[in-house]
Coordinates of all heavy atoms in Angstrom, one line a residue:
M24 N 97.4 7.0 -76.0 CA 96.2 7.8 -75.4 C 96.7 9.2 -75.1 O 97.7 9.4 -74.5 CB 95.7 7.1 -74.2 CG 94.7 7.9 -73.4 SD 94.0 7.1 -72.0 CE 95.1 7.8 -70.7
T25 N 96.0 10.2 -75.5 CA 96.2 11.5 -75.1 C 95.6 11.8 -73.8 O 94.5 11.3 -73.4 CB 95.7 12.5 -76.2 OG1 96.0 13.8 -75.8 CG2 94.3 12.4 -76.5
L26 N 96.2 12.7 -73.0 CA 95.7 13.1 -71.7 C 94.7 14.3 -71.9 O 94.0 14.6 -70.9 CB 96.8 13.5 -70.8 CG 97.7 12.3 -70.4 CD1 98.9 12.8 -69.5 CD2 97.0 11.2 -69.7
E27 N 94.7 14.9 -73.0 CA 93.8 16.1 -73.2 C 92.4 15.7 -73.2 O 92.0 14.7 -73.8 CB 94.2 16.8 -74.5 CG 93.4 18.1 -74.7 CD 93.9 18.8 -76.0 OE1 94.9 18.5 -76.5 OE2 93.1 19.7 -76.3
L28 N 91.6 16.5 -72.4 CA 90.2 16.3 -72.3 C 89.5 17.0 -73.5 O 89.8 18.1 -73.8 CB 89.6 16.8 -71.0 CG 89.9 15.9 -69.8 CD1 91.2 16.1 -69.2 CD2 88.8 16.2 -68.8
R29 N 88.6 16.2 -74.1 CA 87.8 16.8 -75.2 C 86.6 17.6 -74.6 O 86.2 17.3 -73.4 CB 87.3 15.7 -76.1 CG 88.4 15.1 -76.9 CD 87.9 14.0 -77.7 NE 87.1 13.0 -76.8 CZ 87.0 11.8 -77.0 NH1 87.5 11.2 -78.1 NH2 86.3 11.0 -76.2
Q30 N 86.0 18.4 -75.3 CA 84.8 19.2 -74.8 C 83.7 18.4 -74.3 O 83.0 18.7 -73.4 CB 84.3 20.2 -75.9 CG 85.3 21.2 -76.4 CD 85.7 22.2 -75.3 OE1 84.8 22.7 -74.6 NE2 87.0 22.4 -75.1
T31 N 83.5 17.2 -74.9 CA 82.4 16.3 -74.5 C 82.7 15.3 -73.5 O 81.8 14.6 -73.0 CB 81.8 15.6 -75.8 OG1 82.9 14.9 -76.4 CG2 81.2 16.6 -76.8
D32 N 84.0 15.2 -73.1 CA 84.4 14.3 -72.0 C 83.8 14.6 -70.7 O 83.6 15.8 -70.4 CB 85.9 14.2 -71.9 CG 86.6 13.5 -73.0 OD1 86.0 12.7 -73.7 OD2 87.9 13.6 -73.1
R33 N 83.4 13.6 -70.0 CA 82.8 13.7 -68.6 C 83.8 13.2 -67.6 O 83.9 12.0 -67.4 CB 81.5 13.0 -68.5 CG 80.5 13.4 -69.5 CD 79.3 12.5 -69.5 NE 78.3 12.8 -70.6 CZ 77.3 13.6 -70.5 NH1 77.1 14.3 -69.4 NH2 76.5 13.8 -71.6
P34 N 84.6 14.1 -67.0 CA 85.6 13.6 -66.0 C 84.9 13.2 -64.7 O 83.9 13.7 -64.3 CB 86.5 14.9 -65.8 CG 85.6 16.0 -66.2 CD 84.7 15.5 -67.2
Y35 N 85.6 12.2 -64.1 CA 85.1 11.7 -62.8 C 86.3 11.2 -62.0 O 87.4 10.9 -62.5 CB 84.1 10.6 -63.0 CG 84.6 9.3 -63.6 CD1 84.9 8.3 -62.7 CD2 84.7 9.2 -64.9 CE1 85.4 7.1 -63.3 CE2 85.1 8.0 -65.5 CZ 85.5 6.9 -64.6 OH 86.0 5.8 -65.2
L36 N 86.1 11.1 -60.7 CA 87.1 10.5 -59.8 C 86.9 9.0 -59.7 O 85.8 8.6 -59.4 CB 87.1 11.2 -58.4 CG 87.3 12.7 -58.4 CD1 87.1 13.2 -56.9 CD2 88.6 13.1 -58.9
P37 N 87.9 8.2 -60.0 CA 87.7 6.8 -60.0 C 87.6 6.3 -58.5 O 87.8 7.0 -57.6 CB 89.0 6.2 -60.6 CG 90.0 7.3 -60.4 CD 89.3 8.6 -60.4
R38 N 87.2 5.0 -58.4 CA 87.0 4.4 -57.2 C 88.3 4.5 -56.3 O 89.4 4.3 -56.8 CB 86.7 2.9 -57.4 CG 86.5 2.1 -56.1 CD 86.1 0.7 -56.5 NE 85.9 0.0 -55.2 CZ 86.1 -1.3 -55.1 NH1 86.4 -2.0 -56.2 NH2 86.0 -1.9 -54.0
G39 N 88.2 4.9 -55.1 CA 89.3 5.0 -54.2 C 89.9 6.4 -54.2 O 90.8 6.7 -53.4
V40 N 89.4 7.3 -55.0 CA 89.9 8.7 -55.0 C 88.7 9.6 -54.7 O 87.6 9.5 -55.2 CB 90.4 9.1 -56.5 CG1 90.8 10.6 -56.5 CG2 91.5 8.2 -56.9
R41 N 88.9 10.5 -53.7 CA 87.8 11.4 -53.3 C 88.4 12.7 -52.7 O 89.5 12.8 -52.3 CB 87.0 10.7 -52.3 CG 87.7 10.4 -51.0 CD 86.8 9.6 -50.0 NE 87.4 9.3 -48.8 CZ 88.4 8.4 -48.5 NH1 88.8 7.7 -49.5 NH2 88.9 8.3 -47.3
V42 N 87.5 13.7 -52.7 CA 87.8 15.0 -52.1 C 87.3 14.9 -50.7 O 86.1 14.5 -50.5 CB 87.2 16.2 -52.9 CG1 87.4 17.5 -52.1 CG2 87.8 16.2 -54.3
Q43 N 88.1 15.3 -49.7 CA 87.7 15.2 -48.3 C 88.2 16.3 -47.5 O 89.3 16.8 -47.8 CB 88.2 13.8 -47.8 CG 87.8 13.6 -46.4 CD 88.2 12.2 -45.9 OE1 88.1 11.2 -46.7 NE2 88.8 12.0 -44.8
R44 N 87.5 16.7 -46.6 CA 87.9 17.8 -45.7 C 88.7 17.2 -44.5 O 88.3 16.3 -43.8 CB 86.7 18.5 -45.1 CG 87.0 19.7 -44.2 CD 87.4 20.9 -45.1 NE 87.9 21.9 -44.2 CZ 88.8 22.8 -44.5 NH1 89.3 22.8 -45.7 NH2 89.1 23.7 -43.7
D45 N 90.0 17.7 -44.3 CA 90.8 17.2 -43.2 C 90.6 18.2 -42.1 O 91.2 19.3 -42.1 CB 92.3 17.2 -43.7 CG 93.3 16.8 -42.6 OD1 92.9 16.8 -41.4 OD2 94.4 16.4 -43.0
E46 N 89.8 17.9 -41.2 CA 89.4 18.8 -40.1 C 90.5 19.1 -39.1 O 90.6 20.2 -38.6 CB 88.2 18.2 -39.3 CG 86.9 18.0 -40.1 CD 86.4 19.3 -40.7 OE1 86.6 20.4 -40.1 OE2 85.7 19.2 -41.7
V47 N 91.4 18.1 -38.9 CA 92.5 18.3 -38.0 C 93.5 19.4 -38.5 O 93.9 20.2 -37.8 CB 93.3 16.9 -37.9 CG1 94.6 17.2 -37.1 CG2 92.4 15.9 -37.2
R48 N 93.7 19.4 -39.8 CA 94.6 20.3 -40.4 C 93.9 21.5 -41.1 O 94.5 22.4 -41.6 CB 95.5 19.6 -41.5 CG 96.5 18.7 -40.8 CD 97.3 17.9 -41.8 NE 98.1 16.9 -41.2 CZ 97.7 15.7 -40.9 NH1 96.5 15.3 -41.1 NH2 98.5 14.8 -40.3
D49 N 92.6 21.5 -41.0 CA 91.7 22.6 -41.6 C 92.1 22.8 -43.0 O 92.4 24.0 -43.4 CB 91.9 23.8 -40.7 CG 90.8 24.8 -41.1 OD1 89.7 24.4 -41.5 OD2 91.1 26.1 -41.0
R50 N 92.0 21.8 -43.8 CA 92.2 21.9 -45.3 C 91.4 20.9 -46.0 O 91.0 19.9 -45.5 CB 93.7 21.8 -45.6 CG 94.3 20.4 -45.2 CD 95.8 20.3 -45.4 NE 96.2 19.0 -44.9 CZ 97.4 18.5 -45.1 NH1 98.3 19.3 -45.7 NH2 97.7 17.3 -44.7
T51 N 91.3 21.1 -47.3 CA 90.6 20.1 -48.2 C 91.7 19.4 -49.0 O 92.6 20.0 -49.5 CB 89.6 20.8 -49.1 OG1 88.7 21.5 -48.3 CG2 88.9 19.8 -50.0
V52 N 91.5 18.1 -49.1 CA 92.6 17.2 -49.7 C 91.9 16.3 -50.8 O 90.7 16.0 -50.7 CB 93.4 16.4 -48.7 CG1 94.2 17.3 -47.8 CG2 92.5 15.5 -47.9
L53 N 92.7 15.9 -51.7 CA 92.3 14.8 -52.6 C 93.0 13.6 -52.1 O 94.2 13.5 -52.0 CB 92.8 15.1 -54.0 CG 92.5 14.1 -55.1 CD1 91.0 14.0 -55.3 CD2 93.2 14.4 -56.4
M54 N 92.2 12.6 -51.7 CA 92.7 11.4 -51.2 C 92.7 10.3 -52.3 O 91.7 10.1 -52.9 CB 91.7 10.9 -50.0 CG 91.5 11.8 -48.9 SD 92.6 11.7 -47.5 CE 92.7 10.0 -47.1
A55 N 93.8 9.7 -52.4 CA 94.0 8.6 -53.4 C 94.8 7.5 -52.6 O 95.4 7.7 -51.6 CB 94.8 9.1 -54.6
P56 N 94.7 6.3 -53.2 CA 95.5 5.2 -52.5 C 96.9 5.6 -52.2 O 97.7 5.9 -53.1 CB 95.4 4.0 -53.5 CG 94.1 4.3 -54.2 CD 94.1 5.8 -54.3
E57 N 97.3 5.6 -50.9 CA 98.6 6.0 -50.4 C 99.1 7.4 -50.8 O 100.3 7.6 -50.8 CB 99.6 4.9 -50.9 CG 99.3 3.5 -50.5 CD 100.3 2.5 -50.9 OE1 101.5 2.9 -51.1 OE2 99.9 1.3 -51.0
K58 N 98.1 8.2 -51.1 CA 98.5 9.6 -51.5 C 97.5 10.6 -50.8 O 96.3 10.3 -50.8 CB 98.5 9.9 -53.0 CG 99.5 9.1 -53.7 CD 100.9 9.8 -53.6 CE 101.9 9.1 -54.5 NZ 103.2 9.5 -54.3
V59 N 97.9 11.7 -50.4 CA 97.1 12.8 -50.0 C 97.6 14.1 -50.6 O 98.8 14.4 -50.5 CB 97.1 13.0 -48.5 CG1 96.2 14.2 -48.0 CG2 96.5 11.7 -47.8
I60 N 96.8 14.8 -51.4 CA 97.2 16.0 -52.1 C 96.4 17.1 -51.6 O 95.1 17.1 -51.6 CB 97.0 15.8 -53.6 CG1 97.8 14.6 -54.1 CG2 97.3 17.1 -54.3 CD1 97.4 14.2 -55.5
E61 N 97.0 18.1 -51.0 CA 96.3 19.3 -50.5 C 95.8 20.1 -51.7 O 96.6 20.4 -52.7 CB 97.3 20.2 -49.6 CG 96.5 21.3 -49.0 CD 97.4 22.1 -48.0 OE1 98.5 21.6 -47.7 OE2 96.9 23.1 -47.5
L62 N 94.6 20.5 -51.6 CA 94.0 21.3 -52.7 C 93.9 22.8 -52.3 O 93.5 23.1 -51.2 CB 92.6 20.8 -53.0 CG 92.5 19.4 -53.6 CD1 91.0 19.0 -53.6 CD2 93.1 19.3 -54.9
D63 N 94.2 23.7 -53.3 CA 94.0 25.1 -53.0 C 92.6 25.4 -53.5 O 91.8 24.5 -53.9 CB 95.0 25.9 -53.8 CG 95.0 25.8 -55.3 OD1 94.0 25.2 -55.8 OD2 95.9 26.3 -55.9
Q64 N 92.2 26.7 -53.4 CA 90.8 27.1 -53.7 C 90.5 26.8 -55.2 O 89.3 26.4 -55.5 CB 90.6 28.5 -53.4 CG 90.5 28.8 -51.9 CD 90.3 30.3 -51.6 OE1 90.6 31.2 -52.4 NE2 89.8 30.5 -50.4
I65 N 91.4 26.9 -56.0 CA 91.2 26.7 -57.5 C 90.9 25.2 -57.7 O 90.0 24.8 -58.4 CB 92.4 27.2 -58.3 CG1 92.5 28.7 -58.2 CG2 92.2 26.8 -59.8 CD1 93.8 29.3 -58.8
G66 N 91.8 24.4 -57.1 CA 91.6 22.9 -57.3 C 90.2 22.5 -56.7 O 89.6 21.6 -57.3
M67 N 89.9 23.1 -55.6 CA 88.6 22.7 -55.0 C 87.4 23.2 -55.9 O 86.4 22.4 -56.0 CB 88.4 23.3 -53.6 CG 89.3 22.7 -52.6 SD 89.2 23.4 -50.9 CE 88.9 25.1 -51.1
A68 N 87.5 24.4 -56.5 CA 86.5 24.9 -57.3 C 86.3 24.0 -58.6 O 85.2 23.6 -59.0 CB 86.8 26.3 -57.8
I69 N 87.4 23.5 -59.1 CA 87.4 22.6 -60.3 C 86.8 21.3 -59.9 O 85.8 20.8 -60.5 CB 88.7 22.4 -60.9 CG1 89.2 23.8 -61.5 CG2 88.7 21.4 -62.0 CD1 90.7 23.8 -61.9
L70 N 87.3 20.7 -58.9 CA 86.9 19.3 -58.5 C 85.5 19.3 -57.9 O 84.8 18.2 -58.0 CB 87.9 18.7 -57.5 CG 89.2 18.3 -58.1 CD1 90.1 17.7 -57.1 CD2 89.0 17.3 -59.3
S71 N 85.0 20.4 -57.4 CA 83.6 20.4 -57.0 C 82.6 20.2 -58.1 O 81.5 19.9 -57.9 CB 83.3 21.7 -56.2 OG 83.2 22.8 -57.1
R72 N 83.1 20.5 -59.3 CA 82.2 20.3 -60.5 C 82.4 19.0 -61.2 O 81.7 18.7 -62.2 CB 82.5 21.5 -61.4 CG 82.0 22.8 -60.8 CD 82.6 24.0 -61.5 NE 82.0 25.3 -61.1 CZ 82.3 25.9 -59.9 NH1 83.1 25.4 -59.0 NH2 81.6 27.1 -59.6
V73 N 83.4 18.3 -60.8 CA 83.7 17.0 -61.5 C 82.9 15.9 -60.8 O 83.1 15.5 -59.7 CB 85.2 16.6 -61.3 CG1 85.5 15.2 -61.8 CG2 86.1 17.6 -62.1
D74 N 81.8 15.5 -61.5 CA 80.8 14.6 -60.9 C 80.5 13.4 -61.8 O 79.7 12.5 -61.5 CB 79.5 15.3 -60.5 CG 78.8 15.9 -61.7 OD1 79.3 15.7 -62.9 OD2 77.8 16.6 -61.5
G75 N 81.2 13.3 -62.9 CA 81.0 12.2 -63.9 C 79.8 12.4 -64.8 O 79.7 11.7 -65.8
S76 N 79.0 13.5 -64.6 CA 77.9 13.8 -65.5 C 78.2 15.1 -66.3 O 77.7 15.2 -67.4 CB 76.6 13.8 -64.8 OG 76.6 14.8 -63.9
A77 N 78.9 16.0 -65.7 CA 79.1 17.3 -66.3 C 80.3 17.1 -67.4 O 81.3 16.5 -67.1 CB 79.6 18.3 -65.3
R78 N 80.0 17.7 -68.6 CA 81.0 17.6 -69.6 C 82.1 18.7 -69.3 O 81.9 19.6 -68.6 CB 80.4 18.0 -71.0 CG 79.5 16.9 -71.5 CD 79.0 17.3 -72.9 NE 78.2 16.3 -73.5 CZ 76.9 16.1 -73.3 NH1 76.2 17.0 -72.6 NH2 76.2 15.1 -73.9
F79 N 83.3 18.4 -69.9 CA 84.4 19.3 -69.7 C 84.0 20.8 -70.0 O 84.3 21.7 -69.3 CB 85.6 18.9 -70.5 CG 86.8 19.8 -70.5 CD1 87.6 19.9 -69.3 CD2 87.1 20.6 -71.5 CE1 88.6 20.8 -69.3 CE2 88.1 21.5 -71.5 CZ 88.9 21.6 -70.4
S80 N 83.3 20.9 -71.2 CA 82.9 22.3 -71.6 C 81.9 22.9 -70.6 O 82.0 24.1 -70.4 CB 82.3 22.2 -73.0 OG 81.1 21.4 -73.0
E81 N 81.1 22.1 -70.0 CA 80.1 22.7 -69.0 C 80.9 23.1 -67.7 O 80.5 24.1 -67.1 CB 79.1 21.6 -68.7 CG 78.2 21.3 -69.8 CD 77.3 20.0 -69.6 OE1 77.7 19.2 -68.8 OE2 76.3 19.9 -70.3
I82 N 81.9 22.3 -67.3 CA 82.7 22.7 -66.2 C 83.4 24.1 -66.4 O 83.3 25.0 -65.6 CB 83.7 21.6 -65.8 CG1 83.0 20.4 -65.4 CG2 84.7 22.1 -64.8 CD1 83.8 19.1 -65.3
V83 N 84.0 24.2 -67.6 CA 84.6 25.4 -68.0 C 83.7 26.6 -68.0 O 83.9 27.7 -67.4 CB 85.4 25.3 -69.3 CG1 85.8 26.6 -69.8 CG2 86.5 24.3 -69.2
Q84 N 82.5 26.4 -68.6 CA 81.5 27.5 -68.7 C 81.0 27.9 -67.3 O 80.8 29.1 -67.0 CB 80.4 27.1 -69.6 CG 80.8 27.0 -71.1 CD 81.4 28.3 -71.6 OE1 80.9 29.4 -71.4 NE2 82.5 28.2 -72.3
D85 N 80.8 26.9 -66.5 CA 80.3 27.2 -65.1 C 81.4 28.0 -64.3 O 81.0 29.0 -63.6 CB 79.9 25.9 -64.4 CG 79.3 26.2 -63.0 OD1 78.5 27.1 -62.9 OD2 79.6 25.4 -62.1
L86 N 82.6 27.6 -64.4 CA 83.7 28.3 -63.7 C 83.8 29.7 -64.3 O 84.0 30.7 -63.5 CB 85.0 27.6 -63.8 CG 85.1 26.3 -63.0 CD1 86.3 25.4 -63.5 CD2 85.3 26.6 -61.5
A87 N 83.8 29.9 -65.6 CA 83.9 31.2 -66.2 C 82.8 32.1 -65.7 O 83.0 33.3 -65.4 CB 83.9 31.1 -67.7
A88 N 81.5 31.6 -65.7 CA 80.4 32.4 -65.2 C 80.5 32.7 -63.7 O 80.3 33.9 -63.3 CB 79.1 31.7 -65.5
T89 N 80.9 31.7 -62.9 CA 81.0 31.9 -61.5 C 82.0 33.0 -61.1 O 81.8 33.8 -60.3 CB 81.4 30.6 -60.8 OG1 80.3 29.7 -61.0 CG2 81.5 30.8 -59.3
Y90 N 83.2 33.0 -61.8 CA 84.3 33.9 -61.5 C 84.4 35.0 -62.4 O 85.4 35.8 -62.4 CB 85.6 33.1 -61.4 CG 85.5 32.1 -60.2 CD1 85.3 30.7 -60.5 CD2 85.7 32.5 -58.9 CE1 85.2 29.8 -59.4 CE2 85.6 31.6 -57.9 CZ 85.4 30.3 -58.1 OH 85.3 29.4 -57.1
N91 N 83.4 35.2 -63.3 CA 83.4 36.3 -64.3 C 84.8 36.4 -65.0 O 85.4 37.5 -65.0 CB 83.0 37.6 -63.6 CG 82.7 38.7 -64.6 OD1 82.3 38.4 -65.7 ND2 82.8 39.9 -64.2
A92 N 85.3 35.3 -65.5 CA 86.6 35.3 -66.2 C 86.4 34.8 -67.6 O 85.4 34.1 -67.9 CB 87.5 34.3 -65.4
P93 N 87.4 35.1 -68.4 CA 87.3 34.6 -69.8 C 87.4 33.1 -69.9 O 88.3 32.4 -69.3 CB 88.6 35.2 -70.5 CG 89.1 36.2 -69.5 CD 88.6 35.9 -68.2
A94 N 86.5 32.5 -70.7 CA 86.3 31.1 -70.8 C 87.6 30.4 -71.3 O 88.0 29.3 -70.9 CB 85.1 30.7 -71.6
D95 N 88.3 31.1 -72.3 CA 89.5 30.5 -72.9 C 90.6 30.4 -71.9 O 91.3 29.4 -71.9 CB 89.9 31.3 -74.1 CG 90.2 32.7 -73.9 OD1 89.7 33.3 -72.9 OD2 91.0 33.3 -74.7
R96 N 90.7 31.4 -71.0 CA 91.7 31.3 -69.9 C 91.4 30.2 -68.9 O 92.3 29.4 -68.5 CB 91.9 32.7 -69.2 CG 92.8 32.7 -68.1 CD 94.3 32.4 -68.6 NE 95.1 32.4 -67.4 CZ 96.3 31.9 -67.4 NH1 96.8 31.3 -68.5 NH2 97.0 31.9 -66.3
I97 N 90.1 30.1 -68.5 CA 89.7 29.1 -67.6 C 89.9 27.7 -68.2 O 90.4 26.8 -67.5 CB 88.2 29.3 -67.3 CG1 87.9 30.6 -66.5 CG2 87.6 28.1 -66.5 CD1 88.4 30.6 -65.1
E98 N 89.6 27.6 -69.5 CA 89.7 26.3 -70.1 C 91.2 25.8 -70.1 O 91.5 24.7 -69.8 CB 89.3 26.3 -71.6 CG 89.4 25.0 -72.3 CD 88.8 25.0 -73.7 OE1 88.1 25.9 -74.1 OE2 89.0 24.0 -74.4
T99 N 92.1 26.7 -70.4 CA 93.5 26.4 -70.3 C 94.0 25.9 -68.9 O 94.6 24.9 -68.8 CB 94.4 27.6 -70.7 OG1 94.0 28.0 -72.1 CG2 95.9 27.3 -70.7
D100 N 93.5 26.6 -67.9 CA 93.9 26.2 -66.5 C 93.3 24.9 -66.1 O 93.9 24.1 -65.5 CB 93.5 27.4 -65.6 CG 94.3 28.6 -65.8 OD1 95.3 28.6 -66.5 OD2 93.9 29.7 -65.3
V101 N 92.0 24.8 -66.4 CA 91.3 23.5 -66.1 C 91.9 22.3 -66.8 O 92.1 21.3 -66.2 CB 89.7 23.7 -66.3 CG1 89.0 22.3 -66.1 CG2 89.2 24.7 -65.4
Q102 N 92.1 22.5 -68.1 CA 92.7 21.5 -68.9 C 94.1 21.0 -68.3 O 94.3 19.8 -68.1 CB 92.9 21.9 -70.3 CG 93.5 20.9 -71.3 CD 92.4 19.9 -71.7 OE1 92.6 18.7 -71.2 NE2 91.4 20.2 -72.4
R103 N 94.9 21.9 -67.9 CA 96.2 21.6 -67.3 C 96.0 20.9 -66.0 O 96.7 19.9 -65.8 CB 97.0 22.9 -67.1 CG 98.4 22.6 -66.7 CD 99.3 23.9 -66.5 NE 99.3 24.7 -67.7 CZ 98.9 26.0 -67.8 NH1 98.4 26.6 -66.8 NH2 98.9 26.6 -69.0
F104 N 95.2 21.4 -65.2 CA 94.9 20.7 -63.9 C 94.4 19.3 -64.0 O 94.9 18.4 -63.4 CB 93.9 21.6 -63.0 CG 93.6 21.1 -61.7 CD1 94.5 21.1 -60.7 CD2 92.4 20.5 -61.4 CE1 94.2 20.6 -59.4 CE2 92.1 20.0 -60.2 CZ 93.0 20.1 -59.2
L105 N 93.4 19.1 -64.8 CA 92.8 17.8 -65.0 C 93.7 16.8 -65.7 O 93.7 15.7 -65.4 CB 91.4 17.9 -65.7 CG 90.3 18.7 -64.9 CD1 89.0 18.7 -65.7 CD2 90.1 18.1 -63.6
Q106 N 94.5 17.3 -66.7 CA 95.5 16.5 -67.3 C 96.5 16.0 -66.3 O 96.9 14.8 -66.4 CB 96.2 17.2 -68.4 CG 95.5 17.4 -69.7 CD 96.3 18.1 -70.8 OE1 97.5 18.2 -70.7 NE2 95.6 18.6 -71.8
T107 N 97.0 16.8 -65.4 CA 97.9 16.4 -64.4 C 97.3 15.3 -63.5 O 97.9 14.2 -63.3 CB 98.3 17.6 -63.5 OG1 98.9 18.6 -64.3 CG2 99.3 17.1 -62.4
L108 N 96.1 15.4 -63.1 CA 95.4 14.4 -62.3 C 95.2 13.1 -63.1 O 95.4 12.0 -62.6 CB 94.0 14.9 -61.8 CG 94.1 16.0 -60.8 CD1 92.7 16.4 -60.4 CD2 94.9 15.7 -59.6
R109 N 94.9 13.3 -64.4 CA 94.6 12.1 -65.3 C 95.9 11.4 -65.5 O 95.9 10.1 -65.5 CB 94.0 12.6 -66.6 CG 93.5 11.5 -67.4 CD 92.8 12.0 -68.7 NE 92.2 11.0 -69.4 CZ 91.7 11.1 -70.6 NH1 91.7 12.2 -71.2 NH2 91.2 10.0 -71.2
S110 N 97.0 12.1 -65.6 CA 98.3 11.4 -65.8 C 98.7 10.5 -64.6 O 99.5 9.5 -64.8 CB 99.4 12.4 -66.1 OG 99.8 13.1 -64.9
R111 N 98.2 10.9 -63.4 CA 98.5 10.1 -62.2 C 97.4 9.1 -61.9 O 97.4 8.5 -60.8 CB 98.7 11.1 -61.1 CG 99.9 11.9 -61.3 CD 100.2 12.8 -60.1 NE 101.5 13.5 -60.4 CZ 101.6 14.8 -60.3 NH1 100.6 15.6 -60.1 NH2 102.8 15.3 -60.5
V112 N 96.4 9.0 -62.8 CA 95.2 8.1 -62.6 C 94.4 8.5 -61.4 O 93.7 7.7 -60.8 CB 95.6 6.6 -62.6 CG1 94.4 5.8 -62.9 CG2 96.7 6.3 -63.7
Y113 N 94.3 9.8 -61.1 CA 93.4 10.3 -60.0 C 92.2 10.8 -60.7 O 91.3 11.3 -60.0 CB 94.1 11.5 -59.3 CG 95.4 11.1 -58.6 CD1 96.3 12.1 -58.3 CD2 95.7 9.9 -58.1 CE1 97.5 11.8 -57.7 CE2 96.9 9.6 -57.5 CZ 97.8 10.6 -57.3 OH 98.9 10.3 -56.6
L114 N 92.1 10.8 -62.0 CA 90.9 11.2 -62.7 C 90.8 10.4 -64.0 O 91.7 10.0 -64.6 CB 91.1 12.7 -63.2 CG 90.0 13.3 -63.9 CD1 89.1 14.1 -63.0 CD2 90.5 14.2 -65.0
M115 N 89.5 10.0 -64.3 CA 89.2 9.3 -65.5 C 88.2 10.1 -66.3 O 87.6 11.0 -65.7 CB 88.6 7.9 -65.1 CG 89.5 7.1 -64.1 SD 90.9 6.5 -64.8 CE 90.3 5.1 -65.7
V116 N 87.9 9.7 -67.5 CA 86.8 10.3 -68.3 C 85.9 9.3 -68.9 O 86.3 8.2 -69.2 CB 87.4 11.3 -69.4 CG1 88.2 12.4 -68.8 CG2 88.2 10.5 -70.3
R117 N 84.7 9.7 -69.1 CA 83.7 9.0 -69.9 C 83.4 9.9 -71.1 O 83.4 11.1 -71.0 CB 82.4 8.9 -69.1 CG 82.4 8.0 -67.9 CD 81.0 7.9 -67.2 NE 81.1 7.1 -66.0 CZ 81.2 7.6 -64.8 NH1 81.1 8.8 -64.6 NH2 81.3 6.8 -63.8
E118 N 83.1 9.2 -72.2 CA 82.8 9.9 -73.4 C 81.3 10.2 -73.5 O 80.5 9.6 -72.9 CB 83.3 9.1 -74.6 CG 84.8 9.0 -74.6 CD 85.4 8.3 -75.8 OE1 84.6 8.1 -76.8 OE2 86.5 7.9 -75.7

């Protein structure tokens, strides 16, 4: 299995994985079983669009439009970020 997301893949967070605000530490984190990963603004921007219905290509286009950035550069960064999460099973995809 390749970790690369195709344009039509619909990424989602599997059961037990969620984005949550840590009010005590004033930060946003990705919570997974026995893991807490602090998210920066880029990670939050990407994961805020990961809902299981948006295609990878739609997430990239939305980020490119929101941040007025080249879609090819955004795609590379989003692909790398989501592949890392997918390799740790913090992210799954639907076709």
Side-chain angles (χ1 to χ4, degrees):
M24 173 179 91
T25 179
L26 296 175
E27 185 172 346
L28 282 82
R29 295 177 303 211
Q30 296 296 313
T31 57
D32 283 344
R33 298 173 190 269
Y35 68 95
L36 300 179
R38 183 176 175 208
V40 179
R41 66 186 182 282
V42 175
Q43 182 173 318
R44 184 77 186 150
D45 181 342
E46 297 298 334
V47 173
R48 293 176 185 85
D49 192 31
R50 61 185 178 172
T51 302
V52 296
L53 180 66
M54 305 268 311
E57 301 184 25
K58 295 280 185 189
V59 176
I60 301 164
E61 186 172 351
L62 295 172
D63 61 13
Q64 290 181 334
I65 296 168
M67 290 183 321
I69 295 168
L70 288 179
S71 71
R72 290 159 170 83
V73 171
D74 61 7
S76 63
R78 289 184 175 91
F79 175 74
S80 62
E81 295 168 337
I82 293 169
V83 168
Q84 290 305 315
D85 186 37
L86 287 164
T89 299
Y90 295 101
N91 195 26
D95 58 337
R96 177 66 183 160
I97 294 285
E98 181 174 349
T99 300
D100 294 344
V101 173
Q102 184 72 251
R103 185 178 306 123
F104 179 73
L105 295 181
Q106 281 181 18
T107 300
L108 293 180
R109 192 173 184 192
S110 72
R111 296 183 174 126
V112 196
Y113 301 152
L114 181 96
M115 306 290 282
V116 297
R117 294 183 181 102
E118 296 182 16

